[in-house]
Amino acid sequence: MCRRTGLTVRTLHHWDHVGLLRPSARTSTGHRLYDERDVDRLYRIVALRELGLPLETIGALLDRDGTGAPALAELLGEHLAHVERQLAALGGLRDRLAALVPAVRAAGGAPSVDLLALIQEVTTVDDTIRNYFTEEQLAALAQRRERLGEDAVRGVQEEWPRLIAQVQAELDAGTDPAEPRVRALAQRWMELLEAFHGGDPGLRDSLYRMQAENSTEIAQQFGGPSPELIDYVKRSATAG
């Protein structure tokens, strides 16, 4: 299933764990087996996620009886429109990068190998982000960034690594998450997250979903928090 769809094992296991996509059967060794109905449901999940719905909403929608689940033809049409918007956005990014490459080469500013690596990183990150956030959400984020100003945004970006290191040190030391100093760190953590999503539940769910499904890659490339660290913060934030 992973080879045919491009989804990761982690994603399929997570969706099984939360009850979103349970395989119809298992082998004697415990491997998941998916039938045609499972594949149909999987497509609906992927399409609705592409359209920006959180997993909880998708599960509730697909589990309804009768006409609750979206008709396949309608869903395909909405998915097509969303993909076309993505292609337009990616085409714009490609044009900008295509113009940048010869300009930098002509100026002798950067080795071509380094520049190509940069291009690959930019397009990969851009594509990943658009798998989780709708065009409307990205526009809202851009507007919030403009309102906050670059100095405030830069301050938050610089604070994150320090905060992650502080919380990691408490976790490594075995500090109880209910300890006041850990709760203070957890509160600041939540404040920084809210600065990103602005209290919008859709943005919050998209952010959490992207982190949950790409935690290893985010940690390796950007120094993001591990799932264990996030769980520690959540336990501290809810400690009474």
Side-chain angles (χ1 to χ4, degrees):
M1 179 67 82
C2 292
R3 287 195 298 269
R4 293 290 298 274
T5 64
L7 296 169
T8 65
V9 173
R10 179 193 294 269
T11 295
L12 292 179
H13 286 189
H14 176 65
W15 290 355
D16 184 5
H17 178 72
V18 300
L20 187 61
L21 180 67
R22 296 197 182 282
S24 297
R26 288 179 181 266
T27 67
S28 58
T29 56
H31 290 88
R32 294 164 173 79
L33 296 175
Y34 299 90
D35 62 15
E36 290 184 6
R37 289 175 300 177
D38 297 330
V39 173
D40 181 87
R41 182 179 176 91
L42 176 59
Y43 169 73
R44 294 170 190 267
I45 293 169
V46 172
L48 290 171
R49 189 183 65 166
E50 282 282 301
L51 295 174
L53 274 67
L55 293 184
E56 294 81 0
T57 301
I58 294 173
L61 182 62
L62 296 182
D63 288 339
R64 290 178 186 171
D65 294 329
T67 59
L72 184 58
E74 179 183 353
L75 189 56
L76 282 167
E78 293 177 356
H79 194 184
L80 174 61
H82 181 67
V83 169
E84 288 176 342
R85 290 193 297 270
Q86 286 184 308
L87 288 173
L90 290 173
L93 175 62
R94 180 189 180 281
D95 291 344
R96 290 193 297 273
L97 291 172
L100 177 64
V101 171
V104 173
R105 284 177 176 166
S112 60
V113 174
D114 293 345
L115 192 57
L116 290 174
L118 174 62
I119 293 171
Q120 182 181 25
E121 180 179 349
V122 170
T123 53
T124 299
V125 171
D126 185 83
D127 193 33
T128 298
I129 289 176
R130 292 183 184 280
N131 280 334
Y132 293 92
F133 298 96
T134 66
E135 295 296 328
E136 292 76 13
Q137 288 174 329
L138 292 175
L141 289 173
Q143 292 174 358
R144 185 176 301 117
R145 184 186 185 101
E146 185 175 352
R147 288 197 303 268
L148 290 173
E150 290 302 317
D151 289 342
V153 172
R154 191 178 303 108
V156 170
Q157 291 173 338
E158 293 174 352
E159 184 176 356
W160 264 121
R162 296 195 300 269
L163 182 59
I164 290 174
Q166 288 176 297
V167 179
Q168 185 68 56
E170 298 291 352
L171 175 61
D172 293 342
T175 308
D176 190 323
E179 184 73 24
R181 67 174 179 273
V182 181
R183 295 191 64 190
L185 292 172
Q187 180 179 357
R188 182 54 182 162
W189 186 294
M190 295 302 176
E191 289 172 353
L192 291 183
L193 285 179
E194 187 166 354
F196 174 85
H197 59 67
D200 184 316
L203 276 172
R204 181 194 60 216
D205 291 346
S206 294
L207 174 64
Y208 287 175
R209 188 171 71 249
M210 182 175 71
Q211 169 65 37
E213 297 178 3
N214 301 272
S215 58
T216 301
E217 293 82 356
I218 291 174
Q220 290 175 345
Q221 296 182 30
F222 307 106
S226 66
E228 293 77 16
L229 196 64
I230 293 175
D231 178 68
Y232 183 67
V233 170
K234 287 181 178 178
R235 287 189 286 124
S236 178
T238 56

Short mmCIF file of all heavy atoms in Angstrom, two decimals, residues 41 57-70:
data_model
loop_
_atom_site.label_atom_id
_atom_site.label_comp_id
_atom_site.label_asym_id
_atom_site.label_seq_id
_atom_site.Cartn_x
_atom_site.Cartn_y
_atom_site.Cartn_z
N ARG A 41 -11.94 4.19 0.73
CA ARG A 41 -11.95 5.06 1.91
C ARG A 41 -10.63 5.83 2.01
O ARG A 41 -10.63 7.02 2.36
CB ARG A 41 -12.18 4.24 3.17
CG ARG A 41 -12.25 5.07 4.46
CD ARG A 41 -12.50 4.19 5.67
NE ARG A 41 -12.48 4.95 6.92
CZ ARG A 41 -13.54 5.51 7.48
NH1 ARG A 41 -14.73 5.41 6.91
NH2 ARG A 41 -13.42 6.19 8.62
N THR A 57 -12.49 15.54 11.70
CA THR A 57 -13.65 15.87 10.89
C THR A 57 -13.84 14.86 9.76
O THR A 57 -14.95 14.45 9.46
CB THR A 57 -13.51 17.29 10.31
OG1 THR A 57 -13.36 18.23 11.38
CG2 THR A 57 -14.73 17.67 9.49
N ILE A 58 -12.72 14.46 9.16
CA ILE A 58 -12.79 13.47 8.07
C ILE A 58 -13.37 12.17 8.58
O ILE A 58 -14.25 11.56 7.96
CB ILE A 58 -11.39 13.24 7.46
CG1 ILE A 58 -10.89 14.50 6.76
CG2 ILE A 58 -11.41 12.07 6.48
CD1 ILE A 58 -9.46 14.40 6.28
N GLY A 59 -12.89 11.70 9.74
CA GLY A 59 -13.39 10.45 10.30
C GLY A 59 -14.88 10.51 10.58
O GLY A 59 -15.63 9.58 10.25
N ALA A 60 -15.34 11.62 11.19
CA ALA A 60 -16.76 11.75 11.50
C ALA A 60 -17.59 11.80 10.23
O ALA A 60 -18.69 11.22 10.15
CB ALA A 60 -16.98 13.02 12.33
N LEU A 61 -17.07 12.47 9.20
CA LEU A 61 -17.79 12.59 7.94
C LEU A 61 -17.93 11.25 7.25
O LEU A 61 -19.02 10.86 6.79
CB LEU A 61 -17.06 13.58 7.03
CG LEU A 61 -17.70 13.88 5.67
CD1 LEU A 61 -19.07 14.53 5.85
CD2 LEU A 61 -16.80 14.80 4.85
N LEU A 62 -16.85 10.50 7.18
CA LEU A 62 -16.88 9.22 6.47
C LEU A 62 -17.63 8.14 7.24
O LEU A 62 -18.09 7.17 6.63
CB LEU A 62 -15.45 8.75 6.19
CG LEU A 62 -14.62 9.63 5.25
CD1 LEU A 62 -13.25 9.02 5.03
CD2 LEU A 62 -15.32 9.82 3.91
N ASP A 63 -17.76 8.29 8.55
CA ASP A 63 -18.43 7.28 9.35
C ASP A 63 -19.95 7.48 9.41
O ASP A 63 -20.66 6.66 9.99
CB ASP A 63 -17.86 7.26 10.77
CG ASP A 63 -16.47 6.67 10.81
OD1 ASP A 63 -16.11 5.95 9.86
OD2 ASP A 63 -15.73 6.94 11.77
N ARG A 64 -20.42 8.58 8.83
CA ARG A 64 -21.87 8.79 8.81
C ARG A 64 -22.55 7.74 7.92
O ARG A 64 -21.98 7.24 6.95
CB ARG A 64 -22.21 10.17 8.27
CG ARG A 64 -21.83 11.32 9.18
CD ARG A 64 -22.16 12.63 8.51
NE ARG A 64 -21.69 13.77 9.28
CZ ARG A 64 -21.70 15.01 8.82
NH1 ARG A 64 -22.15 15.26 7.60
NH2 ARG A 64 -21.25 15.99 9.56
N ASP A 65 -23.79 7.45 8.21
CA ASP A 65 -24.55 6.52 7.38
C ASP A 65 -25.20 7.26 6.20
O ASP A 65 -25.36 8.49 6.22
CB ASP A 65 -25.66 5.85 8.21
CG ASP A 65 -25.09 4.94 9.29
OD1 ASP A 65 -24.01 4.37 9.08
OD2 ASP A 65 -25.75 4.82 10.34
N GLY A 66 -25.59 6.53 5.23
CA GLY A 66 -26.37 7.08 4.11
C GLY A 66 -25.59 8.07 3.30
O GLY A 66 -24.50 7.80 2.82
N THR A 67 -26.14 9.29 3.16
CA THR A 67 -25.56 10.29 2.26
C THR A 67 -24.53 11.17 2.95
O THR A 67 -24.10 12.17 2.40
CB THR A 67 -26.67 11.19 1.69
OG1 THR A 67 -27.35 11.83 2.81
CG2 THR A 67 -27.67 10.38 0.90
N GLY A 68 -24.14 10.82 4.17
CA GLY A 68 -23.18 11.67 4.87
C GLY A 68 -21.84 11.73 4.18
O GLY A 68 -21.23 12.79 4.09
N ALA A 69 -21.33 10.59 3.72
CA ALA A 69 -20.04 10.59 3.04
C ALA A 69 -20.17 11.26 1.68
O ALA A 69 -21.17 11.10 0.98
CB ALA A 69 -19.56 9.15 2.86
N PRO A 70 -19.18 12.05 1.27
CA PRO A 70 -19.28 12.77 0.00
C PRO A 70 -19.30 11.82 -1.19
O PRO A 70 -18.60 10.81 -1.21
CB PRO A 70 -18.01 13.63 -0.01
CG PRO A 70 -17.07 12.92 0.89
CD PRO A 70 -17.91 12.29 1.96
#
